[in-house]
Amino acid sequence: MKQVKFVRVKSELSGYGLGKGAKYSFVGAEETIRNYIEQGWSFEGYIPVETRGVGDIETISLIFQKEE
Protein backbone atom coordinates (compact mmCIF):
# COMPACT_ATOMS: atom_id res chain seq x y z
CA MET A 1 0.00 0.00 0.00
CA LYS A 2 1.20 3.52 -0.74
CA GLN A 3 1.34 6.47 1.63
CA VAL A 4 0.58 9.92 0.27
CA LYS A 5 1.65 13.13 1.99
CA PHE A 6 0.75 16.72 1.15
CA VAL A 7 3.04 19.56 2.27
CA ARG A 8 1.86 23.15 1.84
CA VAL A 9 4.28 25.90 0.83
CA LYS A 10 3.20 29.54 0.84
CA SER A 11 4.71 32.15 -1.49
CA GLU A 12 6.67 34.99 0.11
CA LEU A 13 7.42 38.49 -1.11
CA SER A 14 10.92 38.40 -2.60
CA GLY A 15 11.27 41.80 -4.28
CA TYR A 16 9.74 44.13 -6.80
CA GLY A 17 9.71 43.83 -10.56
CA LEU A 18 8.13 45.42 -13.59
CA GLY A 19 4.57 44.78 -14.69
CA LYS A 20 2.57 43.56 -11.71
CA GLY A 21 5.08 45.08 -9.30
CA ALA A 22 5.78 42.66 -6.48
CA LYS A 23 7.68 39.40 -7.00
CA TYR A 24 6.83 36.31 -4.96
CA SER A 25 8.60 32.97 -4.69
CA PHE A 26 8.04 29.64 -2.94
CA VAL A 27 10.94 29.87 -0.54
CA GLY A 28 12.02 26.48 0.76
CA ALA A 29 10.08 24.38 -1.76
CA GLU A 30 13.20 22.88 -3.34
CA GLU A 31 14.74 22.12 0.04
CA THR A 32 11.49 20.48 1.19
CA ILE A 33 11.42 18.31 -1.93
CA ARG A 34 15.09 17.34 -1.47
CA ASN A 35 14.51 16.40 2.19
CA TYR A 36 11.53 14.16 1.39
CA ILE A 37 13.35 12.44 -1.48
CA GLU A 38 16.30 11.72 0.85
CA GLN A 39 13.80 10.10 3.26
CA GLY A 40 12.59 7.74 0.51
CA TRP A 41 9.55 9.68 -0.67
CA SER A 42 8.83 10.22 -4.35
CA PHE A 43 7.84 13.72 -5.50
CA GLU A 44 4.67 13.40 -7.57
CA GLY A 45 3.89 17.05 -8.34
CA TYR A 46 1.94 19.93 -6.86
CA ILE A 47 -1.50 21.47 -6.86
CA PRO A 48 -2.37 25.15 -6.34
CA VAL A 49 -4.39 25.53 -3.14
CA GLU A 50 -4.86 29.30 -2.78
CA THR A 51 -4.68 32.13 -5.30
CA ARG A 52 -4.57 35.91 -5.00
CA GLY A 53 -7.30 38.13 -6.42
CA VAL A 54 -5.16 38.75 -9.53
CA GLY A 55 -4.87 35.01 -10.19
CA ASP A 56 -1.32 34.43 -8.93
CA ILE A 57 -0.77 31.25 -6.91
CA GLU A 58 -0.43 32.02 -3.17
CA THR A 59 -0.04 28.49 -1.75
CA ILE A 60 0.86 25.15 -3.30
CA SER A 61 0.57 21.65 -1.93
CA LEU A 62 3.57 19.42 -2.74
CA ILE A 63 2.55 15.79 -3.24
CA PHE A 64 4.80 12.94 -2.09
CA GLN A 65 4.29 9.19 -2.26
CA LYS A 66 6.03 6.27 -0.50
CA GLU A 67 5.53 2.52 -0.24
CA GLU A 68 4.57 1.46 3.28
Side-chain angles (χ1 to χ4, degrees):
M1 185 166 189
K2 295 183 181 186
Q3 284 182 299
V4 177
K5 183 173 276 205
F6 300 92
V7 179
R8 288 192 177 193
V9 180
K10 191 170 183 92
S11 63
E12 298 178 14
L13 182 64
S14 63
Y16 295 96
L18 301 174
K20 291 184 182 178
K23 289 174 58 178
Y24 291 85
S25 58
F26 293 98
V27 177
E30 292 170 340
E31 185 64 28
T32 299
I33 293 168
R34 182 179 297 112
N35 288 338
Y36 275 90
I37 289 173
E38 289 173 353
Q39 295 173 32
W41 292 86
S42 169
F43 176 66
E44 301 298 318
Y46 76 94
I47 54 173
V49 179
E50 296 177 331
T51 58
R52 292 187 185 85
V54 294
D56 295 338
I57 299 172
E58 173 79 24
T59 305
I60 58 174
S61 183
L62 304 176
I63 306 165
F64 297 93
Q65 183 173 273
K66 183 178 184 179
E67 285 290 335
E68 287 185 333

